Amino acid sequence: DPSLKRTYSGAASGKGAAYAWTGDKNIGSGRMEIIESSPPSRIVLRLDFSEPFEAHNEVLFRLEPRGDATTLTQAMYGPSPYMSKVMGIFFDMDKMVGEKYDEGLASIKAIAEKPL
């Protein structure tokens, strides 16, 4: 969404750093905040969506050293409200969310491997 509006608040980095967005009907609006940061192995985010539907989740990033590389895993936890259950009947939510996870992890990989 070219007209996406972003705002940053809280700490400059680490625990308490927050990012909010407002976009078109495809992007919606929401906010995420780092609620735990344990470098170099763990980051936990609170992820709140307000539009197009309300949802509240925690996202965990776990980093595990493997020789001269690092394995990054990501998981999202939270309640499944009624609207999410209804959408799950008509849409493959694992596929929809999974594609976004893959895109995000690919972006993180590209940034991490970019030469200094």
Side-chain angles (χ1 to χ4, degrees), residues 3-68:
S3 64
L4 182 74
K5 292 181 176 71
R6 297 178 174 113
T7 57
Y8 300 89
S9 61
S13 64
K15 185 175 180 179
Y19 162 76
W21 70 92
T22 302
D24 64 18
K25 65 179 181 163
N26 296 316
I27 302 296
S29 61
R31 181 178 188 275
M32 68 174 81
E33 179 178 346
I34 299 172
I35 58 173
E36 181 184 331
S37 178
S38 304
S41 60
R42 181 180 167 95
I43 300 168
V44 182
L45 307 174
R46 180 175 42 242
L47 178 59
D48 297 311
F49 296 97
S50 48
E51 291 180 359
F53 53 88
E54 186 174 349
H56 306 283
N57 298 284
E58 285 191 5
V59 179
L60 166 66
F61 292 93
R62 182 174 298 127
L63 297 94
E64 299 175 64
R66 305 274 169 128
D68 60 351

Side-chain angles (χ1 to χ4, degrees), residues 49-107:
F49 296 97
S50 48
E51 291 180 359
F53 53 88
E54 186 174 349
H56 306 283
N57 298 284
E58 285 191 5
V59 179
L60 166 66
F61 292 93
R62 182 174 298 127
L63 297 94
E64 299 175 64
R66 305 274 169 128
D68 60 351
T70 300
T71 298
L72 172 64
T73 55
Q74 179 182 5
M76 184 165 68
Y77 305 94
S80 182
Y82 177 74
M83 193 58 183
S84 294
K85 291 176 184 172
V86 170
M87 287 178 56
I89 295 170
F90 300 103
F91 301 100
D92 183 344
M93 298 303 283
D94 286 339
K95 182 175 188 277
M96 286 174 53
V97 173
E99 289 174 356
K100 293 300 179 189
Y101 271 102
D102 290 344
E103 289 173 18
L105 291 171
S107 294

